[in-house]
Amino acid sequence: DTGVSQDPRHKITKRGQNVTFRCDPISEHNRLYWYRQTLGQGPEFLTYFQNEAQLEKSRLLSDRFSAERPKGSFSTLEIQRTEQGDSAMYLCASTTGTSGRADTQYFGPGTRLTVL
Amino acid sequence: AQSVTQLGSHVSVSEGALVLLRCNYSSSVPPYLFWYVQYPNQGLQLLLKYTSAATLVKGINGFEAEFKKSETSFHLTKPSAHMSDAAEYFCAVSDSGSGYSTLTFGKGTMLLVSP
Protein backbone atom coordinates (compact mmCIF):
# COMPACT_ATOMS: atom_id res chain seq x y z
CA ASP A 1 0.00 0.00 0.00
CA THR A 2 1.59 3.26 -1.13
CA GLY A 3 0.89 6.15 1.19
CA VAL A 4 0.73 9.85 0.46
CA SER A 5 4.00 11.15 -0.95
CA GLN A 6 5.30 14.69 -1.15
CA ASP A 7 8.15 16.20 -3.07
CA PRO A 8 10.51 17.76 -2.25
CA ARG A 9 10.94 16.95 1.42
CA HIS A 10 12.97 20.08 2.02
CA LYS A 11 13.20 23.35 0.14
CA ILE A 12 15.41 26.31 0.92
CA THR A 13 14.77 29.45 -1.08
CA LYS A 14 15.51 33.14 -1.02
CA ARG A 15 12.87 35.70 -0.28
CA GLY A 16 11.03 36.71 -3.42
CA GLN A 17 11.51 33.43 -5.27
CA ASN A 18 8.67 31.15 -6.38
CA VAL A 19 8.41 27.59 -5.14
CA THR A 20 6.19 24.65 -6.08
CA PHE A 21 5.43 21.55 -4.05
CA ARG A 22 3.88 18.32 -5.24
CA CYS A 23 1.61 15.86 -3.47
CA ASP A 24 0.65 12.40 -4.69
CA PRO A 25 -2.33 11.07 -2.75
CA ILE A 26 -3.27 7.46 -2.17
CA SER A 27 -4.47 6.29 -5.57
CA GLU A 28 -8.14 5.63 -4.82
CA HIS A 29 -8.62 8.77 -2.72
CA ASN A 30 -10.63 11.49 -4.41
CA ARG A 31 -10.29 14.13 -1.69
CA LEU A 32 -7.09 16.02 -1.06
CA TYR A 33 -6.17 18.60 1.57
CA TRP A 34 -3.27 20.98 2.12
CA TYR A 35 -2.25 22.14 5.60
CA ARG A 36 0.50 24.39 6.90
CA GLN A 37 2.32 23.71 10.15
CA THR A 38 4.55 26.30 11.78
CA LEU A 39 6.86 25.70 14.71
CA GLY A 40 4.98 25.03 17.92
CA GLN A 41 1.61 24.90 16.23
CA GLY A 42 -0.72 22.24 14.94
CA PRO A 43 -1.44 21.98 11.23
CA GLU A 44 -3.75 24.65 9.83
CA PHE A 45 -6.07 24.02 6.91
CA LEU A 46 -5.21 25.75 3.64
CA THR A 47 -7.33 24.25 0.88
CA TYR A 48 -9.37 21.23 -0.19
CA PHE A 49 -10.00 19.41 -3.48
CA GLN A 50 -12.61 16.91 -4.45
CA ASN A 51 -11.28 15.29 -7.58
CA GLU A 52 -10.03 18.23 -9.69
CA ALA A 53 -12.34 20.83 -8.13
CA GLN A 54 -10.96 23.16 -5.47
CA LEU A 55 -13.94 23.49 -3.15
CA GLU A 56 -12.63 25.48 -0.22
CA LYS A 57 -9.79 27.87 0.54
CA SER A 58 -8.76 29.15 3.94
CA ARG A 59 -8.17 32.82 4.63
CA LEU A 60 -4.55 31.76 5.21
CA LEU A 61 -4.25 31.17 1.48
CA SER A 62 -3.22 34.60 0.28
CA ASP A 63 -3.16 35.66 -3.36
CA ARG A 64 0.46 34.52 -3.55
CA PHE A 65 -0.64 30.92 -3.04
CA SER A 66 -2.22 28.80 -5.71
CA ALA A 67 -3.09 25.13 -5.74
CA GLU A 68 -4.13 22.82 -8.53
CA ARG A 69 -5.13 19.23 -8.97
CA PRO A 70 -5.25 18.51 -12.68
CA LYS A 71 -7.17 15.38 -13.62
CA GLY A 72 -7.93 14.72 -9.98
CA SER A 73 -4.66 12.95 -9.34
CA PHE A 74 -1.58 14.68 -7.94
CA SER A 75 -1.74 18.22 -6.62
CA THR A 76 0.66 21.15 -6.66
CA LEU A 77 0.93 24.07 -4.28
CA GLU A 78 2.77 27.12 -5.57
CA ILE A 79 3.91 30.08 -3.53
CA GLN A 80 4.91 33.18 -5.47
CA ARG A 81 7.23 35.87 -4.15
CA THR A 82 8.01 33.94 -0.99
CA GLU A 83 8.31 35.75 2.31
CA GLN A 84 10.08 34.69 5.48
CA GLY A 85 6.70 34.17 7.10
CA ASP A 86 6.03 31.39 4.60
CA SER A 87 8.65 29.22 6.29
CA ALA A 88 6.73 26.20 7.54
CA MET A 89 5.99 22.54 6.97
CA TYR A 90 3.43 22.03 4.21
CA LEU A 91 1.41 18.87 4.68
CA CYS A 92 -0.81 17.07 2.24
CA ALA A 93 -3.54 14.62 3.21
CA SER A 94 -6.01 12.48 1.30
CA THR A 95 -9.21 10.62 2.07
CA THR A 96 -11.66 8.35 0.32
CA GLY A 97 -14.53 10.72 0.98
CA THR A 98 -16.87 7.88 1.86
CA SER A 99 -17.45 8.79 5.51
CA GLY A 100 -17.91 12.55 5.42
CA ARG A 101 -16.75 14.18 8.64
CA ALA A 102 -15.64 10.81 9.99
CA ASP A 103 -13.15 10.30 7.17
CA THR A 104 -9.63 9.46 8.22
CA GLN A 105 -7.14 11.81 6.64
CA TYR A 106 -3.89 10.13 5.64
CA PHE A 107 -0.96 12.52 5.76
CA GLY A 108 2.19 12.68 3.72
CA PRO A 109 5.63 13.35 5.26
CA GLY A 110 5.44 17.05 4.43
CA THR A 111 7.64 19.56 2.65
CA ARG A 112 9.66 21.78 4.93
CA LEU A 113 10.14 25.24 3.41
CA THR A 114 12.78 27.62 4.66
CA VAL A 115 12.77 31.14 3.24
CA LEU A 116 16.03 33.04 3.78
CA ALA B 1 -16.40 27.42 14.77
CA GLN B 2 -14.76 24.41 16.30
CA SER B 3 -11.60 24.61 18.40
CA VAL B 4 -9.29 22.35 20.35
CA THR B 5 -7.22 23.05 23.44
CA GLN B 6 -4.40 20.78 24.48
CA LEU B 7 -3.22 21.39 28.02
CA GLY B 8 0.54 21.18 28.39
CA SER B 9 2.92 21.70 25.51
CA HIS B 10 5.24 19.11 27.06
CA VAL B 11 4.52 16.06 29.20
CA SER B 12 7.31 13.99 30.74
CA VAL B 13 6.86 10.45 32.01
CA SER B 14 9.09 7.57 32.97
CA GLU B 15 9.08 4.39 30.96
CA GLY B 16 6.31 2.16 32.29
CA ALA B 17 4.31 5.04 33.75
CA LEU B 18 0.80 6.09 32.79
CA VAL B 19 0.50 8.48 29.87
CA LEU B 20 -2.27 11.11 30.00
CA LEU B 21 -2.53 13.77 27.32
CA ARG B 22 -5.37 16.23 27.70
CA CYS B 23 -7.67 17.55 24.99
CA ASN B 24 -10.74 19.77 25.33
CA TYR B 25 -12.85 20.75 22.39
CA SER B 26 -15.45 23.29 21.45
CA SER B 27 -17.97 22.42 18.79
CA SER B 28 -21.36 23.73 17.73
CA VAL B 29 -22.28 20.33 16.29
CA PRO B 30 -21.77 16.80 17.61
CA PRO B 31 -18.01 16.46 17.34
CA TYR B 32 -15.90 13.95 15.51
CA LEU B 33 -12.54 13.83 17.30
CA PHE B 34 -9.14 12.50 16.32
CA TRP B 35 -5.76 11.91 17.88
CA TYR B 36 -2.71 11.93 15.62
CA VAL B 37 0.94 11.26 16.43
CA GLN B 38 3.88 12.91 14.66
CA TYR B 39 7.40 11.54 14.86
CA PRO B 40 10.32 13.84 13.96
CA ASN B 41 10.47 14.72 10.28
CA GLN B 42 7.41 12.62 9.51
CA GLY B 43 3.79 13.27 8.71
CA LEU B 44 0.88 12.64 11.04
CA GLN B 45 -0.36 9.15 11.78
CA LEU B 46 -3.85 8.44 13.08
CA LEU B 47 -3.94 6.89 16.55
CA LEU B 48 -7.71 6.75 16.99
CA LYS B 49 -10.95 8.59 16.28
CA TYR B 50 -14.33 9.14 17.88
CA THR B 51 -17.29 9.17 15.52
CA SER B 52 -20.27 9.05 17.92
CA ALA B 53 -20.26 5.30 18.49
CA ALA B 54 -18.62 3.96 21.68
CA THR B 55 -17.35 6.68 24.01
CA LEU B 56 -14.23 4.67 24.86
CA VAL B 57 -12.14 4.39 21.75
CA LYS B 58 -9.19 2.06 21.40
CA GLY B 59 -6.42 2.86 19.01
CA ILE B 60 -3.07 1.61 17.87
CA ASN B 61 0.01 1.03 20.03
CA GLY B 62 -2.07 0.56 23.20
CA PHE B 63 -3.56 4.05 23.26
CA GLU B 64 -7.17 4.79 24.07
CA ALA B 65 -9.32 7.86 24.60
CA GLU B 66 -12.63 8.53 26.28
CA PHE B 67 -15.19 10.99 24.94
CA LYS B 68 -16.89 12.90 27.76
CA LYS B 69 -19.56 15.21 26.48
CA SER B 70 -20.27 16.80 29.87
CA GLU B 71 -16.61 17.80 30.17
CA THR B 72 -16.09 18.47 26.44
CA SER B 73 -12.98 16.34 26.72
CA PHE B 74 -11.25 13.61 24.74
CA HIS B 75 -8.14 12.76 26.75
CA LEU B 76 -5.61 10.24 25.44
CA THR B 77 -4.19 7.58 27.74
CA LYS B 78 -1.82 4.64 27.71
CA PRO B 79 -1.29 2.48 30.78
CA SER B 80 2.43 2.00 30.36
CA ALA B 81 4.72 4.31 28.40
CA HIS B 82 7.40 2.96 26.11
CA MET B 83 10.45 4.79 24.86
CA SER B 84 9.08 4.55 21.33
CA ASP B 85 6.03 6.63 22.37
CA ALA B 86 8.18 9.77 22.50
CA ALA B 87 6.65 12.01 19.84
CA GLU B 88 4.29 14.94 19.39
CA TYR B 89 0.58 14.28 19.76
CA PHE B 90 -2.19 16.32 18.20
CA CYS B 91 -5.88 16.34 19.01
CA ALA B 92 -8.21 17.47 16.23
CA VAL B 93 -11.89 18.10 15.66
CA SER B 94 -13.60 17.66 12.35
CA ASP B 95 -15.20 20.86 11.13
CA SER B 96 -18.62 20.67 9.62
CA GLY B 97 -18.66 21.14 5.91
CA SER B 98 -20.83 20.08 3.07
CA GLY B 99 -20.14 16.40 3.58
CA TYR B 100 -16.40 16.79 3.80
CA SER B 101 -13.99 17.14 6.68
CA THR B 102 -11.39 19.73 7.43
CA LEU B 103 -9.56 19.22 10.68
CA THR B 104 -8.92 21.86 13.31
CA PHE B 105 -5.90 20.85 15.36
CA GLY B 106 -4.68 21.74 18.82
CA LYS B 107 -1.16 23.07 19.28
CA GLY B 108 0.16 19.66 20.17
CA THR B 109 1.75 18.02 23.20
CA MET B 110 5.29 16.72 23.10
CA LEU B 111 5.59 13.48 25.06
CA LEU B 112 9.01 12.85 26.57
CA VAL B 113 9.76 9.37 27.93
CA SER B 114 12.73 8.82 30.20
CA PRO B 115 14.27 5.46 31.03
Side-chain angles (χ1 to χ4, degrees):
Chain A
D1 178 26
T2 303
V4 178
S5 62
Q6 293 187 244
D7 185 70
R9 294 291 306 277
H10 303 273
K11 179 71 177 179
I12 299 174
T13 191
K14 294 181 179 179
R15 185 164 50 94
Q17 298 293 305
N18 299 343
V19 294
T20 300
F21 311 140
R22 176 179 171 127
C23 170
D24 286 90
I26 295 171
S27 59
E28 65 268 25
H29 288 185
N30 60 16
R31 298 185 176 184
L32 186 147
Y33 303 79
W34 285 98
Y35 292 83
R36 182 175 70 183
Q37 184 179 19
T38 53
L39 201 61
Q41 301 293 322
E44 296 172 289
F45 168 74
L46 290 179
T47 190
Y48 155 72
F49 289 86
Q50 180 163 328
N51 298 314
E52 67 275 9
Q54 188 175 18
L55 296 185
E56 186 173 351
K57 293 191 286 187
S58 159
R59 295 174 191 174
L60 293 176
L61 213 65
S62 75
D63 292 345
R64 296 184 297 104
F65 288 70
S66 63
E68 296 182 341
R69 193 182 181 197
K71 302 180 182 178
S73 55
F74 70 92
S75 175
T76 58
L77 178 67
E78 180 182 16
I79 309 174
Q80 296 183 329
R81 306 181 302 281
T82 53
E83 302 172 356
Q84 288 185 327
D86 297 331
S87 295
M89 175 79 87
Y90 290 84
L91 294 165
C92 175
S94 69
T95 74
T96 59
T98 55
S99 302
R101 291 175 56 220
D103 268 351
T104 294
Q105 294 192 19
Y106 295 87
F107 283 81
T111 294
R112 183 170 296 283
L113 172 66
T114 301
V115 182
L116 301 176
Chain B
Q2 284 81 353
S3 66
V4 171
T5 302
Q6 292 184 243
L7 294 177
S9 59
H10 291 81
V11 169
S12 296
V13 299
S14 299
E15 193 172 20
L18 171 72
V19 174
L20 171 61
L21 303 181
R22 299 179 185 274
C23 172
N24 289 88
Y25 69 90
S26 172
S27 177
S28 57
V29 297
Y32 289 177
L33 297 159
F34 302 76
W35 275 100
Y36 280 87
V37 60
Q38 186 176 34
Y39 297 99
N41 300 314
Q42 295 188 27
L44 282 75
Q45 179 184 7
L46 180 72
L47 281 175
L48 49 82
K49 66 180 179 181
Y50 168 76
T51 58
S52 75
T55 57
L56 183 62
V57 182
K58 295 187 182 299
I60 62 171
N61 301 338
F63 285 94
E64 62 182 37
E66 186 172 8
F67 172 73
K68 292 187 177 180
K69 183 179 179 180
S70 60
E71 298 177 7
T72 61
S73 69
F74 190 56
H75 302 330
L76 182 70
T77 60
K78 182 175 180 177
S80 176
H82 191 272
M83 295 295 289
S84 61
D85 295 327
E88 190 157 24
Y89 292 79
F90 292 95
C91 183
V93 62
S94 176
D95 286 351
S96 59
S98 301
Y100 60 89
S101 164
T102 62
L103 296 175
T104 296
F105 286 87
K107 292 187 176 182
T109 297
M110 183 68 72
L111 177 65
L112 307 170
V113 183
S114 57

